Amino acid sequence: TQILKDIGITDVTIVPEQEYPNGYFTTCSYPNPEIFAALEQGLKLAKETGADLMLATDPDADRVGIAMKCPDGSYELVSGNEVGVLLLDYIAAGRIEKGTMPKNPVAVKSIVSTPLADAVAEHYGVELRSVLTGFKWIGREILRMETSGKGQYLFGFEESYGCLIGTHARDKDAIVASMALCEAAAYYKLRGMTIWDAMLEMYERYGYYKDNVIAITHKGIEGLEKIKSIMDTLRKNPPMKFGKYDVLRTRDYDQDVIRDVKTGETTTTGIPKSNVLYFELTEDAWLCVRPSGTEPKIKIYFGVVGSSLEDADAKSEELAEVVQKMLAEM
């Protein structure tokens, strides 16, 4: 509320039950804006007040999730990937409009975040660098730019609702992100647009990207063995097809190898080793598999590009079914 007041946004309504810190988190089972239950009370209040935008951070204020008001009065939850590309587009366009774009601007994202960011960065002449999952890698990239003098950091984000504007921190920052999202909402409103309109404009310009993640839990010692077995199987016998999509290239970050399936040519990933497998697919689709670093889960990230929002949704659901069936058979 303080930073919003500082930029002149005072029409702010707070969920009364969630206004003051409570270490027992009594209003939701898991206080993470990635989880719908954490947003329910905020959504309810947004509908009651007719708010233009709903924001929810986690308790340590490093992740922010939002819901935007649609023309029919409903509220659409925005994914972490969408928040990231929305801010990247807004910041890059604003810098160019104001004449403050630095020389050699660089944006950074994790390897499991949406390729839509690549299209946005290319449009504005911004170099996009991909790093391993975990915001420390984005922080490391900022340090590399500062020490080498090669590139000037503009923006960084992860699909898990974390982003950083500016170099005041080396971790994701929901306070500044909330400020930027409200600023963007005000900017678009002055032009007769909502954030939803800005999202649709982005999709029409760059393509209808749809990205998703499936997390499957395998608990205990047996679970760890199961996760290891899945990764070993995919590494030793990588699929050449996922549903209707053929595999074009595989990236094994643990072996530091990118392999062209058709020619057999190999190159290095240029990224520190990590137990991650990435599959570049036909039709600009992709799929990535990695064990969680903090939970007994294996995570499958994937994305498609459709001809419309509906087409992208249908393709995403189709690929999700293929992935779940494949893992169930392993």
Side-chain angles (χ1 to χ4, degrees):
T1 52
Q2 183 62 53
I3 203 165
L4 296 183
K5 184 180 176 182
D6 289 347
I7 66 168
I9 294 176
T10 56
D11 187 5
V12 179
T13 306
I14 304 168
V15 177
E17 297 85 355
Q18 297 176 324
E19 183 169 5
Y20 299 105
N22 183 330
Y24 292 103
F25 311 124
T26 55
T27 61
C28 61
S29 58
Y30 191 51
N32 184 331
E34 293 180 86
I35 310 301
F36 177 74
L39 309 177
E40 280 185 298
Q41 292 199 16
L43 281 170
K44 182 174 179 288
L45 189 59
K47 290 171 185 174
E48 290 172 2
T49 59
D52 292 315
L53 188 65
M54 186 214 75
L55 299 101
T57 74
D58 52 0
D60 59 346
D62 60 1
R63 302 172 197 262
V64 59
I66 70 169
M68 51 194 173
K69 191 177 184 181
C70 298
D72 63 0
S74 65
Y75 287 83
E76 182 82 16
L77 291 173
V78 185
S79 73
N81 273 317
E82 288 173 323
V83 168
V85 291
L86 183 73
L87 284 175
L88 174 59
D89 187 81
Y90 172 71
I91 291 165
R95 288 283 198 142
I96 289 171
E97 184 181 317
K98 294 289 185 182
T100 58
M101 181 69 87
K103 288 183 179 179
N104 307 315
V106 176
V108 189
K109 72 175 180 71
S110 65
I111 56 176
V112 297
S113 299
T114 179
L116 175 54
D118 297 74
V120 173
E122 184 180 356
H123 178 77
Y124 292 108
V126 174
E127 179 190 348
L128 187 76
R129 299 179 186 176
S130 292
V131 296
L132 293 173
T133 304
F135 223 89
K136 66 179 182 180
W137 297 107
I138 294 177
R140 191 187 81 145
E141 204 60 37
I142 295 172
L143 181 62
R144 286 176 63 181
M145 289 180 227
E146 291 173 339
T147 54
S148 70
K150 295 177 181 177
Q152 294 192 58
Y153 178 78
L154 190 69
F155 178 69
F157 81 98
E158 290 188 314
E159 54 77 37
S160 54
Y161 292 81
C163 54
L164 176 65
I165 304 163
T167 57
H168 59 281
R170 291 298 185 271
D171 202 351
K172 45 196 178 289
D173 179 0
I175 305 298
V176 172
S178 295
M179 177 186 69
L181 286 163
C182 288
E183 181 188 300
Y187 174 87
Y188 293 124
K189 191 169 185 176
L190 285 171
R191 284 151 184 79
M193 298 170 64
T194 63
I195 280 187
W196 177 239
D197 294 326
M199 285 294 309
L200 289 177
E201 199 173 83
M202 269 205 308
Y203 284 131
E204 287 165 9
R205 184 187 304 152
Y206 304 116
Y208 293 90
Y209 287 73
K210 176 74 176 182
D211 305 281
N212 213 332
V213 58
I214 295 171
I216 299 173
T217 301
H218 293 288
K219 293 183 178 179
I221 299 297
E222 297 84 359
L224 290 174
E225 287 299 320
K226 178 70 173 176
I227 291 171
K228 182 178 182 301
S229 173
I230 291 171
M231 294 302 296
D232 286 345
T233 300
L234 289 172
R235 180 165 280 118
K236 292 171 183 174
N237 300 292
M240 290 296 100
K241 201 174 183 69
F242 289 92
K244 66 179 182 180
Y245 302 102
D246 293 325
V247 176
L248 298 175
R249 277 172 292 277
T250 61
R251 301 184 213 162
D252 186 336
Y253 288 97
D254 193 50
Q255 303 296 320
D256 191 27
V257 173
I258 300 174
R259 186 181 304 277
D260 187 298
V261 169
K262 190 173 182 180
T263 65
E265 290 181 13
T266 62
T267 54
T268 58
T269 64
I271 287 179
K273 290 187 177 184
S274 183
N275 190 14
V276 182
L277 295 169
Y278 193 107
F279 301 88
E280 296 178 44
L281 311 177
T282 48
E283 298 183 35
D284 293 320
W286 63 279
L287 185 142
C288 182
V289 187
R290 61 178 278 268
S292 169
T294 56
E295 299 171 291
K297 294 178 178 180
I298 187 162
K299 289 189 169 185
I300 304 93
Y301 306 80
F302 57 95
V304 296
V305 184
S307 56
S308 65
L309 286 176
E310 295 75 18
D311 182 50
D313 284 341
K315 285 181 174 178
S316 181
E317 288 175 14
E318 187 180 314
L319 185 53
E321 287 179 14
V322 169
V323 171
Q324 288 173 319
K325 183 180 177 183
M326 178 191 75
L327 289 175
E329 292 172 352
M330 282 187 172

